[in-house]
Amino acid sequence: MLAVGALVCIAALAGSSYASESSVTGCQIANMRLSFGPLVSEKTGQHTASVVLSNRLSRACTLKGYPTIALLDRHGRKLSFTYSHHGDQEITSKKPAEVRVPAGGSSFFAFNKYRCDVRALDVTRTLRVALPGSDIIRSVRMRQYPIIDYCGKAITPYVAVSPIERHLRSVFWFS
């Protein structure tokens, strides 16, 4: 009888552990802290920003896909960039995989564009982010560097955006 009771307890504990793992929900931007990661030294003419998504919850959540970003000028107007998920000289072209973000843990993405060689018409002042599968946005002021300048539609309007990854090094092509 004692052995049967022990087996029932073990089965119950195993079941609750499985239930907590399978009940991990998608991360919501309201529960994430958005900040910029370390600066990236480049030799390509690209200007790259890495972004940290920190889970403020006391439980894990998951993300899969690409963030939806918009780059805004100092008046809050969207600059006319074309966003790409194909990678470039710095940003990975890997397909997204599910990322489990532990309680208090972080995930990462990066974006970049080639500098304006002739003349910049404007400069990005704000990054607006929505997580995959959501229209809810959060904005953060761009720091002084990297400079994500706007050259006009005819010249370098492309911004490469990485998938969300568990490790910062994974957002880059050389990972």
PDB file of all heavy atoms in Angstrom, residues 122-163:
ATOM      1  N   ASP A 122      17.413  62.348 -42.855  1.00  0.00           N
ATOM      2  CA  ASP A 122      16.847  62.287 -41.509  1.00  0.00           C
ATOM      3  C   ASP A 122      17.595  61.231 -40.703  1.00  0.00           C
ATOM      4  O   ASP A 122      18.406  60.480 -41.260  1.00  0.00           O
ATOM      5  CB  ASP A 122      15.351  61.938 -41.573  1.00  0.00           C
ATOM      6  CG  ASP A 122      14.542  62.621 -40.481  1.00  0.00           C
ATOM      7  OD1 ASP A 122      15.111  62.920 -39.403  1.00  0.00           O
ATOM      8  OD2 ASP A 122      13.342  62.853 -40.700  1.00  0.00           O
ATOM      9  N   VAL A 123      17.307  61.158 -39.423  1.00  0.00           N
ATOM     10  CA  VAL A 123      17.939  60.195 -38.530  1.00  0.00           C
ATOM     11  C   VAL A 123      16.865  59.581 -37.644  1.00  0.00           C
ATOM     12  O   VAL A 123      15.958  60.275 -37.188  1.00  0.00           O
ATOM     13  CB  VAL A 123      19.018  60.873 -37.653  1.00  0.00           C
ATOM     14  CG1 VAL A 123      19.614  59.893 -36.661  1.00  0.00           C
ATOM     15  CG2 VAL A 123      20.113  61.482 -38.515  1.00  0.00           C
ATOM     16  N   THR A 124      16.982  58.284 -37.412  1.00  0.00           N
ATOM     17  CA  THR A 124      16.039  57.590 -36.534  1.00  0.00           C
ATOM     18  C   THR A 124      16.237  58.052 -35.097  1.00  0.00           C
ATOM     19  O   THR A 124      17.362  58.082 -34.599  1.00  0.00           O
ATOM     20  CB  THR A 124      16.262  56.068 -36.625  1.00  0.00           C
ATOM     21  OG1 THR A 124      16.018  55.657 -37.971  1.00  0.00           O
ATOM     22  CG2 THR A 124      15.342  55.324 -35.699  1.00  0.00           C
ATOM     23  N   ARG A 125      15.131  58.366 -34.441  1.00  0.00           N
ATOM     24  CA  ARG A 125      15.179  58.776 -33.036  1.00  0.00           C
ATOM     25  C   ARG A 125      14.456  57.787 -32.118  1.00  0.00           C
ATOM     26  O   ARG A 125      14.722  57.753 -30.929  1.00  0.00           O
ATOM     27  CB  ARG A 125      14.541  60.163 -32.854  1.00  0.00           C
ATOM     28  CG  ARG A 125      15.263  61.241 -33.579  1.00  0.00           C
ATOM     29  CD  ARG A 125      16.606  61.498 -32.938  1.00  0.00           C
ATOM     30  NE  ARG A 125      17.254  62.623 -33.590  1.00  0.00           N
ATOM     31  CZ  ARG A 125      18.527  62.711 -33.795  1.00  0.00           C
ATOM     32  NH1 ARG A 125      19.326  61.758 -33.412  1.00  0.00           N
ATOM     33  NH2 ARG A 125      19.052  63.749 -34.392  1.00  0.00           N
ATOM     34  N   THR A 126      13.522  56.996 -32.691  1.00  0.00           N
ATOM     35  CA  THR A 126      12.723  56.074 -31.886  1.00  0.00           C
ATOM     36  C   THR A 126      12.573  54.745 -32.604  1.00  0.00           C
ATOM     37  O   THR A 126      12.377  54.712 -33.816  1.00  0.00           O
ATOM     38  CB  THR A 126      11.319  56.671 -31.613  1.00  0.00           C
ATOM     39  OG1 THR A 126      11.472  57.930 -30.976  1.00  0.00           O
ATOM     40  CG2 THR A 126      10.477  55.756 -30.736  1.00  0.00           C
ATOM     41  N   LEU A 127      12.671  53.676 -31.843  1.00  0.00           N
ATOM     42  CA  LEU A 127      12.400  52.327 -32.335  1.00  0.00           C
ATOM     43  C   LEU A 127      11.050  51.903 -31.765  1.00  0.00           C
ATOM     44  O   LEU A 127      10.820  52.012 -30.563  1.00  0.00           O
ATOM     45  CB  LEU A 127      13.479  51.355 -31.850  1.00  0.00           C
ATOM     46  CG  LEU A 127      13.173  49.868 -31.993  1.00  0.00           C
ATOM     47  CD1 LEU A 127      13.082  49.464 -33.467  1.00  0.00           C
ATOM     48  CD2 LEU A 127      14.215  49.037 -31.265  1.00  0.00           C
ATOM     49  N   ARG A 128      10.170  51.435 -32.634  1.00  0.00           N
ATOM     50  CA  ARG A 128       8.868  50.904 -32.215  1.00  0.00           C
ATOM     51  C   ARG A 128       8.868  49.409 -32.500  1.00  0.00           C
ATOM     52  O   ARG A 128       9.256  48.986 -33.590  1.00  0.00           O
ATOM     53  CB  ARG A 128       7.755  51.607 -32.987  1.00  0.00           C
ATOM     54  CG  ARG A 128       6.398  51.394 -32.386  1.00  0.00           C
ATOM     55  CD  ARG A 128       5.394  52.340 -32.952  1.00  0.00           C
ATOM     56  NE  ARG A 128       5.187  52.057 -34.354  1.00  0.00           N
ATOM     57  CZ  ARG A 128       4.500  52.824 -35.184  1.00  0.00           C
ATOM     58  NH1 ARG A 128       3.964  53.933 -34.759  1.00  0.00           N
ATOM     59  NH2 ARG A 128       4.348  52.481 -36.433  1.00  0.00           N
ATOM     60  N   VAL A 129       8.453  48.599 -31.511  1.00  0.00           N
ATOM     61  CA  VAL A 129       8.534  47.139 -31.615  1.00  0.00           C
ATOM     62  C   VAL A 129       7.197  46.495 -31.256  1.00  0.00           C
ATOM     63  O   VAL A 129       6.575  46.870 -30.256  1.00  0.00           O
ATOM     64  CB  VAL A 129       9.614  46.575 -30.651  1.00  0.00           C
ATOM     65  CG1 VAL A 129       9.666  45.058 -30.709  1.00  0.00           C
ATOM     66  CG2 VAL A 129      10.966  47.180 -30.942  1.00  0.00           C
ATOM     67  N   ALA A 130       6.796  45.508 -32.063  1.00  0.00           N
ATOM     68  CA  ALA A 130       5.697  44.604 -31.720  1.00  0.00           C
ATOM     69  C   ALA A 130       6.254  43.191 -31.800  1.00  0.00           C
ATOM     70  O   ALA A 130       7.065  42.873 -32.683  1.00  0.00           O
ATOM     71  CB  ALA A 130       4.530  44.760 -32.684  1.00  0.00           C
ATOM     72  N   LEU A 131       5.866  42.341 -30.870  1.00  0.00           N
ATOM     73  CA  LEU A 131       6.335  40.950 -30.871  1.00  0.00           C
ATOM     74  C   LEU A 131       5.546  40.134 -31.881  1.00  0.00           C
ATOM     75  O   LEU A 131       4.434  40.515 -32.266  1.00  0.00           O
ATOM     76  CB  LEU A 131       6.202  40.357 -29.467  1.00  0.00           C
ATOM     77  CG  LEU A 131       7.063  41.040 -28.403  1.00  0.00           C
ATOM     78  CD1 LEU A 131       6.847  40.380 -27.043  1.00  0.00           C
ATOM     79  CD2 LEU A 131       8.533  40.990 -28.778  1.00  0.00           C
ATOM     80  N   PRO A 132       6.094  38.997 -32.324  1.00  0.00           N
ATOM     81  CA  PRO A 132       5.401  38.169 -33.307  1.00  0.00           C
ATOM     82  C   PRO A 132       3.980  37.811 -32.847  1.00  0.00           C
ATOM     83  O   PRO A 132       3.765  37.455 -31.691  1.00  0.00           O
ATOM     84  CB  PRO A 132       6.267  36.905 -33.389  1.00  0.00           C
ATOM     85  CG  PRO A 132       7.619  37.343 -32.936  1.00  0.00           C
ATOM     86  CD  PRO A 132       7.375  38.420 -31.920  1.00  0.00           C
ATOM     87  N   GLY A 133       3.029  37.961 -33.768  1.00  0.00           N
ATOM     88  CA  GLY A 133       1.646  37.596 -33.483  1.00  0.00           C
ATOM     89  C   GLY A 133       0.864  38.626 -32.696  1.00  0.00           C
ATOM     90  O   GLY A 133      -0.253  38.370 -32.259  1.00  0.00           O
ATOM     91  N   SER A 134       1.414  39.825 -32.506  1.00  0.00           N
ATOM     92  CA  SER A 134       0.736  40.854 -31.713  1.00  0.00           C
ATOM     93  C   SER A 134       0.851  42.202 -32.410  1.00  0.00           C
ATOM     94  O   SER A 134       1.845  42.488 -33.067  1.00  0.00           O
ATOM     95  CB  SER A 134       1.351  40.940 -30.322  1.00  0.00           C
ATOM     96  OG  SER A 134       0.782  41.997 -29.581  1.00  0.00           O
ATOM     97  N   ASP A 135      -0.168  43.032 -32.225  1.00  0.00           N
ATOM     98  CA  ASP A 135      -0.142  44.401 -32.750  1.00  0.00           C
ATOM     99  C   ASP A 135       0.202  45.418 -31.662  1.00  0.00           C
ATOM    100  O   ASP A 135       0.294  46.606 -31.926  1.00  0.00           O
ATOM    101  CB  ASP A 135      -1.506  44.768 -33.348  1.00  0.00           C
ATOM    102  CG  ASP A 135      -1.813  43.960 -34.595  1.00  0.00           C
ATOM    103  OD1 ASP A 135      -0.858  43.552 -35.286  1.00  0.00           O
ATOM    104  OD2 ASP A 135      -2.997  43.724 -34.870  1.00  0.00           O
ATOM    105  N   ILE A 136       0.361  44.951 -30.437  1.00  0.00           N
ATOM    106  CA  ILE A 136       0.665  45.848 -29.327  1.00  0.00           C
ATOM    107  C   ILE A 136       2.129  46.262 -29.436  1.00  0.00           C
ATOM    108  O   ILE A 136       3.009  45.424 -29.643  1.00  0.00           O
ATOM    109  CB  ILE A 136       0.391  45.172 -27.979  1.00  0.00           C
ATOM    110  CG1 ILE A 136      -1.090  44.788 -27.906  1.00  0.00           C
ATOM    111  CG2 ILE A 136       0.784  46.082 -26.823  1.00  0.00           C
ATOM    112  CD1 ILE A 136      -1.433  43.901 -26.742  1.00  0.00           C
ATOM    113  N   ILE A 137       2.378  47.559 -29.319  1.00  0.00           N
ATOM    114  CA  ILE A 137       3.729  48.073 -29.541  1.00  0.00           C
ATOM    115  C   ILE A 137       4.311  48.698 -28.280  1.00  0.00           C
ATOM    116  O   ILE A 137       3.591  49.110 -27.377  1.00  0.00           O
ATOM    117  CB  ILE A 137       3.766  49.108 -30.684  1.00  0.00           C
ATOM    118  CG1 ILE A 137       2.850  50.301 -30.370  1.00  0.00           C
ATOM    119  CG2 ILE A 137       3.404  48.485 -32.003  1.00  0.00           C
ATOM    120  CD1 ILE A 137       3.020  51.459 -31.315  1.00  0.00           C
ATOM    121  N   ARG A 138       5.604  48.752 -28.271  1.00  0.00           N
ATOM    122  CA  ARG A 138       6.353  49.480 -27.250  1.00  0.00           C
ATOM    123  C   ARG A 138       7.416  50.271 -28.004  1.00  0.00           C
ATOM    124  O   ARG A 138       7.996  49.791 -28.974  1.00  0.00           O
ATOM    125  CB  ARG A 138       7.002  48.520 -26.269  1.00  0.00           C
ATOM    126  CG  ARG A 138       7.969  49.245 -25.388  1.00  0.00           C
ATOM    127  CD  ARG A 138       8.123  48.898 -23.956  1.00  0.00           C
ATOM    128  NE  ARG A 138       6.965  48.521 -23.228  1.00  0.00           N
ATOM    129  CZ  ARG A 138       6.969  47.565 -22.323  1.00  0.00           C
ATOM    130  NH1 ARG A 138       8.063  46.882 -22.074  1.00  0.00           N
ATOM    131  NH2 ARG A 138       5.901  47.299 -21.622  1.00  0.00           N
ATOM    132  N   SER A 139       7.677  51.468 -27.539  1.00  0.00           N
ATOM    133  CA  SER A 139       8.673  52.332 -28.170  1.00  0.00           C
ATOM    134  C   SER A 139       9.821  52.594 -27.216  1.00  0.00           C
ATOM    135  O   SER A 139       9.629  52.630 -25.999  1.00  0.00           O
ATOM    136  CB  SER A 139       8.050  53.667 -28.578  1.00  0.00           C
ATOM    137  OG  SER A 139       7.045  53.461 -29.543  1.00  0.00           O
ATOM    138  N   VAL A 140      10.990  52.790 -27.785  1.00  0.00           N
ATOM    139  CA  VAL A 140      12.174  53.136 -27.001  1.00  0.00           C
ATOM    140  C   VAL A 140      12.997  54.121 -27.830  1.00  0.00           C
ATOM    141  O   VAL A 140      13.087  53.994 -29.055  1.00  0.00           O
ATOM    142  CB  VAL A 140      12.985  51.871 -26.609  1.00  0.00           C
ATOM    143  CG1 VAL A 140      13.533  51.154 -27.814  1.00  0.00           C
ATOM    144  CG2 VAL A 140      14.085  52.199 -25.634  1.00  0.00           C
ATOM    145  N   ARG A 141      13.568  55.107 -27.149  1.00  0.00           N
ATOM    146  CA  ARG A 141      14.423  56.082 -27.823  1.00  0.00           C
ATOM    147  C   ARG A 141      15.700  55.406 -28.284  1.00  0.00           C
ATOM    148  O   ARG A 141      16.282  54.603 -27.555  1.00  0.00           O
ATOM    149  CB  ARG A 141      14.785  57.228 -26.882  1.00  0.00           C
ATOM    150  CG  ARG A 141      13.635  58.072 -26.429  1.00  0.00           C
ATOM    151  CD  ARG A 141      13.226  59.162 -27.355  1.00  0.00           C
ATOM    152  NE  ARG A 141      14.277  60.135 -27.589  1.00  0.00           N
ATOM    153  CZ  ARG A 141      14.301  60.898 -28.667  1.00  0.00           C
ATOM    154  NH1 ARG A 141      13.367  60.798 -29.573  1.00  0.00           N
ATOM    155  NH2 ARG A 141      15.257  61.769 -28.847  1.00  0.00           N
ATOM    156  N   MET A 142      16.129  55.752 -29.476  1.00  0.00           N
ATOM    157  CA  MET A 142      17.408  55.245 -29.975  1.00  0.00           C
ATOM    158  C   MET A 142      18.524  55.951 -29.214  1.00  0.00           C
ATOM    159  O   MET A 142      18.390  57.102 -28.828  1.00  0.00           O
ATOM    160  CB  MET A 142      17.561  55.542 -31.468  1.00  0.00           C
ATOM    161  CG  MET A 142      16.615  54.773 -32.363  1.00  0.00           C
ATOM    162  SD  MET A 142      17.010  53.027 -32.501  1.00  0.00           S
ATOM    163  CE  MET A 142      18.571  53.080 -33.366  1.00  0.00           C
ATOM    164  N   ARG A 143      19.615  55.231 -29.020  1.00  0.00           N
ATOM    165  CA  ARG A 143      20.750  55.892 -28.403  1.00  0.00           C
ATOM    166  C   ARG A 143      21.536  56.622 -29.490  1.00  0.00           C
ATOM    167  O   ARG A 143      21.209  56.524 -30.675  1.00  0.00           O
ATOM    168  CB  ARG A 143      21.630  54.927 -27.636  1.00  0.00           C
ATOM    169  CG  ARG A 143      21.561  53.508 -27.995  1.00  0.00           C
ATOM    170  CD  ARG A 143      22.392  52.703 -27.034  1.00  0.00           C
ATOM    171  NE  ARG A 143      22.967  51.624 -27.807  1.00  0.00           N
ATOM    172  CZ  ARG A 143      23.477  50.551 -27.293  1.00  0.00           C
ATOM    173  NH1 ARG A 143      23.542  50.412 -26.010  1.00  0.00           N
ATOM    174  NH2 ARG A 143      23.957  49.613 -28.053  1.00  0.00           N
ATOM    175  N   GLN A 144      22.558  57.301 -29.076  1.00  0.00           N
ATOM    176  CA  GLN A 144      23.318  58.130 -30.005  1.00  0.00           C
ATOM    177  C   GLN A 144      24.005  57.279 -31.085  1.00  0.00           C
ATOM    178  O   GLN A 144      24.126  57.699 -32.225  1.00  0.00           O
ATOM    179  CB  GLN A 144      24.359  58.927 -29.234  1.00  0.00           C
ATOM    180  CG  GLN A 144      24.979  60.013 -30.043  1.00  0.00           C
ATOM    181  CD  GLN A 144      25.789  60.948 -29.165  1.00  0.00           C
ATOM    182  OE1 GLN A 144      25.957  60.721 -27.979  1.00  0.00           O
ATOM    183  NE2 GLN A 144      26.304  61.996 -29.760  1.00  0.00           N
ATOM    184  N   TYR A 145      24.460  56.092 -30.728  1.00  0.00           N
ATOM    185  CA  TYR A 145      25.069  55.200 -31.715  1.00  0.00           C
ATOM    186  C   TYR A 145      24.493  53.809 -31.521  1.00  0.00           C
ATOM    187  O   TYR A 145      24.272  53.420 -30.383  1.00  0.00           O
ATOM    188  CB  TYR A 145      26.603  55.146 -31.545  1.00  0.00           C
ATOM    189  CG  TYR A 145      27.246  54.380 -32.673  1.00  0.00           C
ATOM    190  CD1 TYR A 145      27.509  54.995 -33.875  1.00  0.00           C
ATOM    191  CD2 TYR A 145      27.504  53.028 -32.546  1.00  0.00           C
ATOM    192  CE1 TYR A 145      28.053  54.279 -34.931  1.00  0.00           C
ATOM    193  CE2 TYR A 145      28.048  52.309 -33.596  1.00  0.00           C
ATOM    194  CZ  TYR A 145      28.310  52.936 -34.782  1.00  0.00           C
ATOM    195  OH  TYR A 145      28.826  52.234 -35.827  1.00  0.00           O
ATOM    196  N   PRO A 146      24.172  53.079 -32.536  1.00  0.00           N
ATOM    197  CA  PRO A 146      24.481  53.336 -33.938  1.00  0.00           C
ATOM    198  C   PRO A 146      23.528  54.363 -34.544  1.00  0.00           C
ATOM    199  O   PRO A 146      22.383  54.469 -34.128  1.00  0.00           O
ATOM    200  CB  PRO A 146      24.285  51.973 -34.598  1.00  0.00           C
ATOM    201  CG  PRO A 146      23.232  51.319 -33.790  1.00  0.00           C
ATOM    202  CD  PRO A 146      23.469  51.794 -32.380  1.00  0.00           C
ATOM    203  N   ILE A 147      24.020  55.070 -35.517  1.00  0.00           N
ATOM    204  CA  ILE A 147      23.207  56.044 -36.234  1.00  0.00           C
ATOM    205  C   ILE A 147      22.477  55.303 -37.350  1.00  0.00           C
ATOM    206  O   ILE A 147      23.109  54.765 -38.257  1.00  0.00           O
ATOM    207  CB  ILE A 147      24.076  57.175 -36.810  1.00  0.00           C
ATOM    208  CG1 ILE A 147      24.768  57.924 -35.679  1.00  0.00           C
ATOM    209  CG2 ILE A 147      23.251  58.105 -37.683  1.00  0.00           C
ATOM    210  CD1 ILE A 147      25.865  58.859 -36.137  1.00  0.00           C
ATOM    211  N   ILE A 148      21.167  55.259 -37.246  1.00  0.00           N
ATOM    212  CA  ILE A 148      20.353  54.669 -38.318  1.00  0.00           C
ATOM    213  C   ILE A 148      19.787  55.859 -39.091  1.00  0.00           C
ATOM    214  O   ILE A 148      18.755  56.425 -38.745  1.00  0.00           O
ATOM    215  CB  ILE A 148      19.233  53.765 -37.761  1.00  0.00           C
ATOM    216  CG1 ILE A 148      19.796  52.703 -36.810  1.00  0.00           C
ATOM    217  CG2 ILE A 148      18.445  53.134 -38.903  1.00  0.00           C
ATOM    218  CD1 ILE A 148      20.728  51.690 -37.445  1.00  0.00           C
ATOM    219  N   ASP A 149      20.524  56.252 -40.127  1.00  0.00           N
ATOM    220  CA  ASP A 149      20.141  57.434 -40.892  1.00  0.00           C
ATOM    221  C   ASP A 149      19.251  57.050 -42.071  1.00  0.00           C
ATOM    222  O   ASP A 149      19.207  55.901 -42.499  1.00  0.00           O
ATOM    223  CB  ASP A 149      21.369  58.216 -41.349  1.00  0.00           C
ATOM    224  CG  ASP A 149      22.452  57.350 -41.961  1.00  0.00           C
ATOM    225  OD1 ASP A 149      22.244  56.136 -42.152  1.00  0.00           O
ATOM    226  OD2 ASP A 149      23.529  57.890 -42.253  1.00  0.00           O
ATOM    227  N   TYR A 150      18.532  58.036 -42.571  1.00  0.00           N
ATOM    228  CA  TYR A 150      17.610  57.827 -43.687  1.00  0.00           C
ATOM    229  C   TYR A 150      18.108  58.638 -44.874  1.00  0.00           C
ATOM    230  O   TYR A 150      18.281  59.854 -44.787  1.00  0.00           O
ATOM    231  CB  TYR A 150      16.203  58.256 -43.290  1.00  0.00           C
ATOM    232  CG  TYR A 150      15.204  58.080 -44.399  1.00  0.00           C
ATOM    233  CD1 TYR A 150      14.818  56.813 -44.796  1.00  0.00           C
ATOM    234  CD2 TYR A 150      14.670  59.183 -45.052  1.00  0.00           C
ATOM    235  CE1 TYR A 150      13.901  56.638 -45.837  1.00  0.00           C
ATOM    236  CE2 TYR A 150      13.754  59.016 -46.080  1.00  0.00           C
ATOM    237  CZ  TYR A 150      13.388  57.749 -46.465  1.00  0.00           C
ATOM    238  OH  TYR A 150      12.492  57.571 -47.488  1.00  0.00           O
ATOM    239  N   CYS A 151      18.358  57.946 -45.996  1.00  0.00           N
ATOM    240  CA  CYS A 151      18.942  58.576 -47.177  1.00  0.00           C
ATOM    241  C   CYS A 151      17.900  58.910 -48.241  1.00  0.00           C
ATOM    242  O   CYS A 151      18.229  59.508 -49.250  1.00  0.00           O
ATOM    243  CB  CYS A 151      19.970  57.653 -47.829  1.00  0.00           C
ATOM    244  SG  CYS A 151      21.089  56.860 -46.689  1.00  0.00           S
ATOM    245  N   GLY A 152      16.692  58.482 -48.055  1.00  0.00           N
ATOM    246  CA  GLY A 152      15.649  58.633 -49.067  1.00  0.00           C
ATOM    247  C   GLY A 152      15.328  57.278 -49.661  1.00  0.00           C
ATOM    248  O   GLY A 152      16.079  56.311 -49.499  1.00  0.00           O
ATOM    249  N   LYS A 153      14.206  57.184 -50.328  1.00  0.00           N
ATOM    250  CA  LYS A 153      13.733  55.901 -50.867  1.00  0.00           C
ATOM    251  C   LYS A 153      14.658  55.312 -51.924  1.00  0.00           C
ATOM    252  O   LYS A 153      14.785  54.112 -52.047  1.00  0.00           O
ATOM    253  CB  LYS A 153      12.333  56.053 -51.458  1.00  0.00           C
ATOM    254  CG  LYS A 153      11.271  56.224 -50.412  1.00  0.00           C
ATOM    255  CD  LYS A 153       9.914  56.277 -51.066  1.00  0.00           C
ATOM    256  CE  LYS A 153       8.846  56.506 -50.030  1.00  0.00           C
ATOM    257  NZ  LYS A 153       7.526  56.521 -50.629  1.00  0.00           N
ATOM    258  N   ALA A 154      15.319  56.161 -52.693  1.00  0.00           N
ATOM    259  CA  ALA A 154      16.129  55.662 -53.803  1.00  0.00           C
ATOM    260  C   ALA A 154      17.476  55.094 -53.353  1.00  0.00           C
ATOM    261  O   ALA A 154      18.089  54.321 -54.074  1.00  0.00           O
ATOM    262  CB  ALA A 154      16.352  56.776 -54.817  1.00  0.00           C
ATOM    263  N   ILE A 155      17.921  55.467 -52.178  1.00  0.00           N
ATOM    264  CA  ILE A 155      19.249  55.060 -51.733  1.00  0.00           C
ATOM    265  C   ILE A 155      19.156  54.316 -50.399  1.00  0.00           C
ATOM    266  O   ILE A 155      18.681  54.857 -49.414  1.00  0.00           O
ATOM    267  CB  ILE A 155      20.170  56.291 -51.550  1.00  0.00           C
ATOM    268  CG1 ILE A 155      20.166  57.143 -52.806  1.00  0.00           C
ATOM    269  CG2 ILE A 155      21.570  55.866 -51.167  1.00  0.00           C
ATOM    270  CD1 ILE A 155      20.805  58.492 -52.637  1.00  0.00           C
ATOM    271  N   THR A 156      19.619  53.081 -50.363  1.00  0.00           N
ATOM    272  CA  THR A 156      19.696  52.236 -49.160  1.00  0.00           C
ATOM    273  C   THR A 156      18.492  52.334 -48.213  1.00  0.00           C
ATOM    274  O   THR A 156      18.646  52.672 -47.050  1.00  0.00           O
ATOM    275  CB  THR A 156      20.992  52.493 -48.353  1.00  0.00           C
ATOM    276  OG1 THR A 156      20.981  53.833 -47.860  1.00  0.00           O
ATOM    277  CG2 THR A 156      22.230  52.213 -49.165  1.00  0.00           C
ATOM    278  N   PRO A 157      17.285  52.032 -48.713  1.00  0.00           N
ATOM    279  CA  PRO A 157      16.127  52.100 -47.817  1.00  0.00           C
ATOM    280  C   PRO A 157      15.905  50.800 -47.042  1.00  0.00           C
ATOM    281  O   PRO A 157      14.913  50.664 -46.339  1.00  0.00           O
ATOM    282  CB  PRO A 157      14.971  52.345 -48.779  1.00  0.00           C
ATOM    283  CG  PRO A 157      15.365  51.564 -49.998  1.00  0.00           C
ATOM    284  CD  PRO A 157      16.880  51.734 -50.081  1.00  0.00           C
ATOM    285  N   TYR A 158      16.822  49.831 -47.166  1.00  0.00           N
ATOM    286  CA  TYR A 158      16.600  48.503 -46.587  1.00  0.00           C
ATOM    287  C   TYR A 158      17.151  48.379 -45.178  1.00  0.00           C
ATOM    288  O   TYR A 158      18.280  48.769 -44.905  1.00  0.00           O
ATOM    289  CB  TYR A 158      17.223  47.420 -47.477  1.00  0.00           C
ATOM    290  CG  TYR A 158      16.580  47.381 -48.831  1.00  0.00           C
ATOM    291  CD1 TYR A 158      17.183  47.982 -49.915  1.00  0.00           C
ATOM    292  CD2 TYR A 158      15.336  46.771 -49.002  1.00  0.00           C
ATOM    293  CE1 TYR A 158      16.576  47.975 -51.158  1.00  0.00           C
ATOM    294  CE2 TYR A 158      14.716  46.761 -50.236  1.00  0.00           C
ATOM    295  CZ  TYR A 158      15.335  47.373 -51.316  1.00  0.00           C
ATOM    296  OH  TYR A 158      14.724  47.376 -52.530  1.00  0.00           O
ATOM    297  N   VAL A 159      16.333  47.788 -44.321  1.00  0.00           N
ATOM    298  CA  VAL A 159      16.725  47.485 -42.954  1.00  0.00           C
ATOM    299  C   VAL A 159      16.577  45.979 -42.777  1.00  0.00           C
ATOM    300  O   VAL A 159      15.491  45.426 -42.978  1.00  0.00           O
ATOM    301  CB  VAL A 159      15.839  48.227 -41.928  1.00  0.00           C
ATOM    302  CG1 VAL A 159      16.165  47.791 -40.505  1.00  0.00           C
ATOM    303  CG2 VAL A 159      16.002  49.736 -42.082  1.00  0.00           C
ATOM    304  N   ALA A 160      17.674  45.306 -42.448  1.00  0.00           N
ATOM    305  CA  ALA A 160      17.639  43.866 -42.192  1.00  0.00           C
ATOM    306  C   ALA A 160      17.267  43.656 -40.726  1.00  0.00           C
ATOM    307  O   ALA A 160      17.810  44.319 -39.846  1.00  0.00           O
ATOM    308  CB  ALA A 160      18.996  43.241 -42.486  1.00  0.00           C
ATOM    309  N   VAL A 161      16.334  42.731 -40.477  1.00  0.00           N
ATOM    310  CA  VAL A 161      15.862  42.434 -39.126  1.00  0.00           C
ATOM    311  C   VAL A 161      16.053  40.938 -38.878  1.00  0.00           C
ATOM    312  O   VAL A 161      15.614  40.112 -39.680  1.00  0.00           O
ATOM    313  CB  VAL A 161      14.376  42.805 -38.942  1.00  0.00           C
ATOM    314  CG1 VAL A 161      13.921  42.537 -37.509  1.00  0.00           C
ATOM    315  CG2 VAL A 161      14.126  44.257 -39.328  1.00  0.00           C
ATOM    316  N   SER A 162      16.688  40.596 -37.775  1.00  0.00           N
ATOM    317  CA  SER A 162      16.916  39.180 -37.435  1.00  0.00           C
ATOM    318  C   SER A 162      15.676  38.594 -36.776  1.00  0.00           C
ATOM    319  O   SER A 162      14.822  39.329 -36.265  1.00  0.00           O
ATOM    320  CB  SER A 162      18.097  39.048 -36.474  1.00  0.00           C
ATOM    321  OG  SER A 162      17.701  39.386 -35.154  1.00  0.00           O
ATOM    322  N   PRO A 163      15.601  37.262 -36.734  1.00  0.00           N
ATOM    323  CA  PRO A 163      14.572  36.647 -35.891  1.00  0.00           C
ATOM    324  C   PRO A 163      14.936  36.854 -34.422  1.00  0.00           C
ATOM    325  O   PRO A 163      16.074  37.193 -34.095  1.00  0.00           O
ATOM    326  CB  PRO A 163      14.641  35.160 -36.268  1.00  0.00           C
ATOM    327  CG  PRO A 163      15.999  34.960 -36.825  1.00  0.00           C
ATOM    328  CD  PRO A 163      16.427  36.267 -37.426  1.00  0.00           C
TER     329      PRO A 163
END
